[in-house]
């Protein structure tokens, strides 16, 4: 094997890239699987992988890596690899994952760019490659390799921005994140980011789990970017999050979604998102319903979201009203809630505090001050403005 690789290393990078491209194009044209093409393509991809990352016995040669990366970009091989990764044999798919990840992390010697040079080139000239990688979740065969590439590439804000701000265009082009992004503009809901909800909810267990890992990484790794995006698209995001993920029939999806929600709402970067979420009586009802789930870990994760509603010092009228209406039920329910978790001191302390906080609520909703009608609030604001203007003129 070492002898074969030694001989193949004499092939130029351009020759390897063009040979791979030709074999991929031939594979696409075949109506049925072609073992001969698949075998030849597998050998070529294995050679590319070894050239880029070396072997335990032999380190990759920097000049050979440079030549191969440049050849891959110059020949636009990446889109062809991503679009057809599902057609490849299992080992060839793994090699392709390694090849693309190695290309994405390539830096020119002495580079001071925040992003790897090759990845930056891809994001500027062919950002649709990132979208195609996301769409790998459409097929079981491509989900794992495409997901692996994505999760490594998501170290970088620019990759997250491509996914978040993707919008279908008439010319088929992907949004240029370096010039075309308006963070205050509402999403159409047709971009690739919104597909993650159905990939998580409707795919096989393996695909769903991988898609959720990618979704979670996207939301938690790039907090400032994501916080802005969710704030702008709050209603669409939480309509899908609540109905598709938290109310999922899948135990794993439901539990992980509640846990992720709790983490996001408790993070200071998501403060604006949190205050808006816990203002909603409908959100409170949804979370309280999860407290009654017959699965202990779902109850536990729901508890950590419910406590945020209770701890909010500026509860909305509808949240206060719903808590007061259910005060007696909660005071009966909470002391026995997950009572077997006696060794979890933090949970026990939080539950005791919650019981006390609920007990301190008024007994009747009549004690609450109803919110002012919107027109009265607007009129009051206009009156203050006019008064201020009069003082300035005087």
């Amino acid at each position: 094997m070492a002898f074969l690789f030694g001989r193949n290393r004499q092939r130029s990078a351009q020759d390897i890239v063009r040979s791979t491209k030709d074999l991929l194009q031939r594979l696409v044209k075949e109506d049925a699987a072609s073992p001969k093409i698949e075998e030849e393509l597998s050998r070529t991809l294995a050679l590319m992988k070894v050239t880029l990352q070396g072997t335990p016995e032999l380190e990759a040669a920097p000049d050979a890596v440079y030549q191969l990366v440049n050849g891959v970009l110059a020949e636009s091989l990446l889109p062809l690899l991503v679009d057809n990764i599902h057609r490849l044999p299992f080992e060839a798919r793994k090699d392709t994952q390694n090849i693309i990840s190695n290309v994405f992390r390539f830096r020119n010697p002495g580079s001071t760019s925040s992003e790897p040079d090759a990845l930056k080139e891809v994001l500027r000239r062919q950002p649709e490659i990132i979208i195609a990688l996301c769409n790998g979740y459409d097929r079981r065969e491509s989900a794992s390799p495409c997901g692996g590439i994505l999760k490594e590439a998501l170290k970088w804000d620019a990759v997250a921005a491509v996914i978040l701000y993707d919008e279908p265009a008439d010319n088929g082009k992907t949004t240029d994140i370096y010039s075309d992004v308006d963070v205050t503009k509402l999403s159409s809901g047709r971009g690739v980011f919104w597909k993650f909800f159905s990939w998580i909810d409707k795919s096989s267990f393996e695909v769903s789990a991988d898609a959720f890992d990618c979704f979670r990484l996207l939301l938690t790794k790039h907090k400032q970017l994501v916080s802005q995006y969710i704030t702008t698209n709050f209603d669409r995001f939480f309509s899908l999050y609540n109905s598709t993920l938290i109310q999922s029939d899948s135990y794993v999806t439901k539990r992980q979604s509640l846990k992720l929600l709790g983490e996001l709402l408790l993070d200071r970067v998501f403060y604006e998102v949190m205050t808006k979420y816990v203002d909603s009586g409908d959100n409170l009802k949804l979370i309280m319903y999860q407290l009654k789930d017959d699965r202990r870990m779902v109850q536990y994760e729901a508890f950590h979201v419910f406590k945020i509603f209770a701890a909010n010092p500026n509860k909305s009228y509808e949240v206060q009203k719903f808590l007061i209406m259910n005060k007696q039920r909660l005071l009966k329910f909470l002391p026995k809630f997950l009572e077997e978790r006696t060794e979890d001191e933090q949970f026990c302390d939080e539950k005791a505090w919650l019981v006390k906080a609920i007990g301190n609520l008024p007994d009747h909703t009549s004690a609450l001050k109803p919110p002012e009608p919107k027109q009265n609030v607007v009129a009051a604001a206009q009156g203050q403005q006019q008064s201020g203007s009069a003082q300035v003129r005087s």
Side-chain angles (χ1 to χ4, degrees):
M1 180 64 76
F3 169 76
L4 286 175
F5 279 127
R7 184 177 66 184
N8 284 337
R9 276 180 178 274
Q10 302 306 310
R11 296 172 64 186
S12 70
Q14 190 177 47
D15 180 37
I16 297 170
V17 171
R18 286 181 176 172
S19 175
T20 305
K21 188 173 184 178
D22 176 62
L23 288 165
L24 278 167
Q25 290 169 337
R26 285 165 57 193
L27 185 67
V28 173
K29 289 177 183 177
E30 293 289 329
D31 292 331
S34 172
K36 185 178 178 181
I37 295 176
E38 288 181 0
E39 185 179 347
E40 207 174 334
L41 187 53
S42 294
R43 280 200 301 267
T44 310
L45 290 168
L47 176 58
M48 287 182 70
K49 182 188 76 169
V50 169
T51 303
L52 287 169
Q53 67 183 38
T55 67
E57 298 82 23
L58 187 65
E59 288 188 10
D63 184 59
V65 173
Y66 175 83
Q67 295 295 335
L68 189 55
V69 170
N70 275 276
V72 167
L73 296 177
E75 290 289 333
S76 293
L77 183 60
L78 289 180
L80 202 55
L81 283 171
V82 174
D83 288 343
N84 295 288
I85 196 168
H86 65 281
R87 301 177 189 271
L88 302 175
F90 179 72
E91 287 299 327
R93 294 201 296 266
K94 288 167 62 179
D95 287 344
T96 301
Q97 177 183 340
N98 281 316
I99 290 164
I100 298 174
S101 291
N102 274 286
V103 170
F104 277 3
R105 70 172 76 105
F106 175 80
R107 290 180 181 272
N108 286 312
S111 171
T112 58
S113 173
S114 59
E115 296 149 3
D117 297 284
L119 179 59
K120 192 171 185 177
E121 182 74 5
V122 167
L123 294 175
R124 284 189 178 280
R125 296 182 181 275
Q126 295 178 307
E128 60 271 13
I129 292 172
I130 302 299
I131 306 306
L133 284 167
C134 292
N135 286 323
Y137 285 119
D138 280 335
R139 292 185 174 93
R140 178 180 55 82
E141 296 85 357
S142 54
S144 180
C146 287
I149 298 165
L150 274 174
K151 281 175 270 188
E152 183 172 347
L154 274 169
K155 292 175 184 174
W156 311 102
D157 275 353
V159 174
V162 168
I163 297 171
L164 290 171
Y165 291 100
D166 171 57
E167 288 288 349
D170 293 337
N171 59 9
K173 289 188 176 180
T174 300
T175 304
D176 179 358
I177 58 162
Y178 295 103
S179 60
D180 294 344
V181 172
D182 178 359
V183 297
T184 63
K185 185 178 179 181
L186 284 173
S187 169
S188 69
R190 294 182 293 126
V192 76
F193 171 72
W194 303 98
K195 292 184 179 181
F196 275 91
F197 291 96
S198 59
W199 287 327
I200 293 167
D201 184 49
K202 296 179 180 177
S203 304
S204 65
F205 178 79
E206 293 81 3
V207 175
S208 173
D210 203 298
F212 188 89
D213 285 346
C214 194
F215 180 75
R216 175 190 173 83
L217 182 62
L218 173 62
L219 296 188
T220 56
K221 180 75 175 175
H222 308 280
K223 295 176 182 178
Q224 292 288 354
L225 182 69
V226 171
S227 174
Q228 170 70 63
Y229 185 80
I230 294 179
T231 300
T232 302
N233 297 283
F234 185 91
D235 292 340
R236 184 184 298 278
F237 178 84
F238 278 110
S239 173
L240 278 170
Y241 199 100
N242 287 347
S243 63
T244 307
L245 302 186
I246 291 181
Q247 297 187 74
S248 171
D249 292 332
S250 163
Y251 162 70
V252 175
T253 299
K254 182 188 285 282
R255 176 188 167 187
Q256 288 183 327
S257 301
L258 284 165
K259 183 176 182 180
L260 175 58
L261 177 61
E263 290 174 9
L264 293 177
L265 297 182
L266 286 170
D267 194 302
R268 290 184 180 182
V269 179
F270 291 89
Y271 179 78
E272 190 174 346
V273 173
M274 181 273 290
T275 54
K276 195 169 181 180
Y277 189 86
V278 300
D279 257 2
S280 165
D282 287 337
N283 290 340
L284 174 60
K285 293 173 191 176
L286 173 66
I287 299 304
M288 284 179 63
Y289 187 77
Q290 310 313 310
L291 291 174
K292 299 189 295 179
D293 194 281
D294 56 4
R295 293 159 295 192
R296 296 299 200 189
M297 289 309 299
V298 170
Q299 294 179 332
Y300 180 71
E301 299 302 347
F303 172 84
H304 288 296
V305 180
F306 175 66
K307 71 185 182 186
I308 304 172
F309 285 90
N312 179 18
N314 301 307
K315 297 178 186 66
S316 67
Y317 174 80
E318 60 177 312
V319 165
Q320 290 183 76
K321 183 179 178 181
F322 192 71
L323 286 174
I324 291 170
M325 288 170 62
N326 288 275
K327 177 179 175 179
Q328 297 307 320
R329 293 190 190 93
L330 285 167
L331 290 177
K332 236 182 185 180
F333 172 78
L334 286 172
K336 296 179 182 179
F337 179 72
L338 298 180
E339 55 188 345
E340 72 277 5
R341 296 185 72 95
T342 53
E343 295 181 7
D344 188 340
E345 292 184 9
Q346 183 177 344
F347 169 76
C348 291
D349 290 345
E350 289 177 345
K351 190 172 77 165
W353 174 88
L354 201 54
V355 170
K356 185 177 179 182
I358 298 295
N360 288 335
L361 290 171
D363 290 328
H364 304 287
T365 56
S366 57
L368 295 178
K369 181 182 178 183
E372 291 186 54
K374 285 186 179 178
Q375 57 266 32
N376 291 352
V377 174
V378 172
Q382 289 173 341
Q384 286 178 350
Q385 261 188 336
Q386 289 170 0
S387 173
S389 299
Q391 289 176 7
V392 171
R393 283 197 297 270
S394 63

